[in-house]
Amino acid sequence: MTASWISHAIWWQVYPLGFVGAFPTPEGSAPPGADEHRLRRIAQWLDHAVELGASGIALGPIFASRTHGYDTTDHYRIDPRLGDDGDFDHLVDEAHRRGLRVLLDGVFNHVGVDFAQHRDASHDDVAAGWFRGRPGRFHTFEGHADLITLNHANPAVVDYVVDVLAHWLQRGADGWRLDAAYAVPQEFWASALPRVRARHPDAWFVGELIHGDYAAIVEAATFDSATQYELWKAIWSSLNDGNFFELDWALQRHNAFLASFAPLTFVGNHDVTRIASQLRNPGHLAHALVLLLTIGGVPSVYAGDEFGFTGIKEERYGGDDAVRPEFASPPIPLDAVGAKTWRLHQFLVGLRRRYPWLHSATTTALRLTNEHYVYQTHAGDQALLVALNIADGPLRLVLPELGPRRAEVVGGSGAPPPDVVDELIVEAHGWRILRPA
């Protein structure tokens, strides 16, 4: 059974190695050492996460690796570029003291070349059995020679992953994002995760999935959730192309997923171009965020998006660096656009917290054209109406034609109309959120 606390979860996501300036290392300089305790810098930002309205912090990889953190060399050791166990304990304690949950990021499809068993594989058959293939010809992850694929049929690998997951949950973590979960046999997860839950029944596990039948995979693998990449793409693509039919199709799929699990939703993360750069019209950033925070699921805000940070991911070596920048100590000076974006995030995250039923809400289109999308988001007898207009002209709505006789305006762009209305105008490239009266 999925942990009950997740129904109130809103994550603030951080990529630690970039956030604290530990990777990439400037040319000609040595990487930071554990004595710099850089992981503690994240604790300086926990009050910011609270001010945002988040209920948890989702950390990227923090375990020993050679480069970006996804080439793990020791799952039991904090990456020395970040610090040590004491720094981890400090961060978790500070988060929990503020009521924030902590989600860890674990890579169990593959490991780095410095992983102990891989170092021994050339002369130790038992160690070689940890990997698919044979020494010198081990399988790799998506063609990356430095990412060696584990042999998930080996019981020793299952035992190892179970112990790692339980180890950090015992030390205070509240759940795990399972990186590249789509590449791991579902049978592996189905054998490992129940054993962890037996020890930590309140833990939450989200698998990274990109394509496929999310609901079937979540059930077979015994995940609690999955990353909702389909919806992420549909949000920015429909706004860019003026094609809300794509979005509506994705939301119908999303409704089906919600019948069995609450997906992890996002408009930005450490692996994709920032939403402020992805959208052709900067004015549509609000529309993307309104969607994220008024539909069902477990929303996540990537650190910096709440300030309107820009950054483009490129398919090259170092192509992630622009979306994984170092953060100075808070507060960050904001220009007018950044301040407006921050206030918008606070308002919409606050709305999400006021209406926690949105966690399981499904959506129904009430008006759908290429550039107009009016939908009802509802759970039981609770409902909101959301109107999105990305056209160059105004959108007139007569509420009795859509269902409710009257509605209270709870948020929107432009000059706010009267509190309770039976019709309204949504200005060009504007939006409204209404509560049926």
Side-chain angles (χ1 to χ4, degrees):
M1 179 179 291
T2 297
S4 60
W5 57 264
I6 201 63
S7 62
H8 296 274
I10 301 169
W11 297 109
W12 185 59
Q13 190 213 346
V14 171
Y15 174 75
L17 288 167
F19 193 93
V20 304
F23 180 82
T25 303
E27 188 174 354
S29 61
D35 59 340
E36 296 185 28
H37 306 288
R38 293 197 178 200
L39 192 61
R40 294 182 180 238
R41 292 191 191 178
I42 299 175
Q44 299 174 16
W45 281 88
L46 294 178
D47 288 337
H48 166 79
V50 172
E51 291 173 7
L52 173 65
S55 63
I57 177 171
L59 297 173
I62 60 172
F63 307 115
S65 73
R66 179 185 289 185
T67 61
H68 45 58
Y70 291 101
D71 54 339
T72 315
T73 57
D74 187 346
H75 292 88
Y76 292 102
R77 183 186 181 202
I78 298 297
D79 195 305
R81 293 171 293 176
L82 296 174
D84 54 28
D85 278 5
D87 300 316
F88 173 81
D89 293 340
H90 172 76
L91 178 57
V92 170
D93 288 346
E94 289 297 304
H96 286 171
R97 186 169 65 82
R98 292 167 172 81
L100 297 169
R101 301 276 179 171
V102 178
L103 187 73
L104 298 183
D105 195 352
V107 193
F108 301 107
N109 174 69
H110 50 270
V111 295
V113 294
D114 293 331
F115 191 75
Q117 282 75 9
H118 183 257
R119 289 200 310 266
D120 296 340
S122 62
H123 59 270
D124 183 335
D125 290 343
V126 173
W130 277 58
F131 309 98
R132 293 178 58 202
R134 62 182 187 276
R137 297 291 298 275
F138 286 134
H139 294 199
T140 58
F141 175 60
E142 297 182 350
H144 298 285
D146 293 336
L147 304 178
I148 314 302
T149 303
L150 290 166
N151 174 14
H152 297 97
N154 184 340
V157 173
V158 180
D159 291 344
Y160 174 82
V161 171
V162 167
D163 194 66
V164 169
L165 294 172
H167 172 81
W168 293 104
L169 291 170
Q170 184 63 38
R171 291 194 66 126
D174 296 286
W176 285 88
R177 173 190 178 272
L178 303 170
D179 183 74
Y182 56 86
V184 177
Q186 294 162 25
E187 298 80 6
F188 173 84
W189 298 119
S191 63
L193 296 184
R195 291 171 56 187
V196 182
R197 285 193 181 94
R199 290 189 244 176
H200 301 279
D202 212 29
W204 186 70
F205 300 91
V206 54
E208 184 193 19
L209 304 184
I210 310 296
H211 305 294
D213 187 342
Y214 290 177
I217 296 171
V218 166
E219 180 179 11
T222 71
F223 298 148
D224 293 301
S225 182
T227 53
Q228 228 305 23
Y229 269 96
E230 283 186 8
L231 186 59
W232 161 78
K233 191 270 180 183
I235 289 174
W236 63 258
S237 179
S238 63
L239 292 170
N240 279 349
D241 297 342
N243 179 17
F244 275 133
F245 290 93
E246 177 187 359
L247 176 63
D248 187 64
W249 182 88
L251 283 173
Q252 290 180 49
R253 290 259 298 169
H254 190 67
N255 286 343
F257 301 148
L258 286 162
S260 56
F261 72 98
L264 179 67
T265 56
F266 55 94
V267 293
N269 66 30
H270 66 295
D271 275 333
V272 301
T273 291
R274 285 194 182 270
I275 189 65
S277 294
Q278 188 76 68
L279 293 170
R280 295 178 191 145
N281 185 335
H284 293 164
L285 176 61
H287 298 68
L289 192 62
V290 167
L291 283 161
L292 173 66
L293 291 165
T294 61
I295 60 177
V298 181
S300 175
V301 175
Y302 182 47
D305 283 357
E306 71 271 33
F307 301 133
F309 278 16
T310 58
I312 297 175
K313 176 185 171 70
E314 301 179 53
E315 296 302 327
R316 60 172 178 80
Y317 180 78
D320 295 313
D321 296 350
V323 299
R324 302 174 178 180
E326 182 175 2
F327 279 59
S329 297
I332 289 180
L334 299 177
D335 60 15
V337 173
K340 181 179 178 181
T341 304
W342 166 242
R343 291 193 299 269
L344 177 64
H345 275 77
Q346 282 187 304
F347 170 76
L348 290 171
V349 172
L351 180 140
R352 181 78 175 207
R353 292 178 71 99
R354 289 197 304 277
Y355 301 119
W357 54 267
L358 285 166
H359 170 79
S360 58
T362 55
T363 57
T364 303
L366 303 179
R367 179 176 295 183
L368 174 60
T369 70
N370 281 335
E371 298 179 315
H372 300 150
Y373 193 49
V374 182
Y375 62 94
Q376 182 185 61
T377 181
H378 51 95
D381 58 358
Q382 302 286 340
L384 293 174
L385 297 183
V386 180
L388 305 178
N389 179 15
I390 59 172
D392 291 333
L395 167 64
R396 179 173 179 264
L397 298 178
V398 178
L399 295 184
E401 295 176 359
L402 300 174
R405 187 175 61 86
R406 293 167 64 80
E408 175 191 3
V409 177
V410 297
S413 55
D419 286 343
V420 178
V421 298
D422 55 12
E423 64 178 82
L424 71 156
I425 301 294
V426 180
E427 69 280 2
H429 303 282
W431 56 275
R432 294 289 187 277
I433 300 175
L434 306 100
R435 186 170 62 87

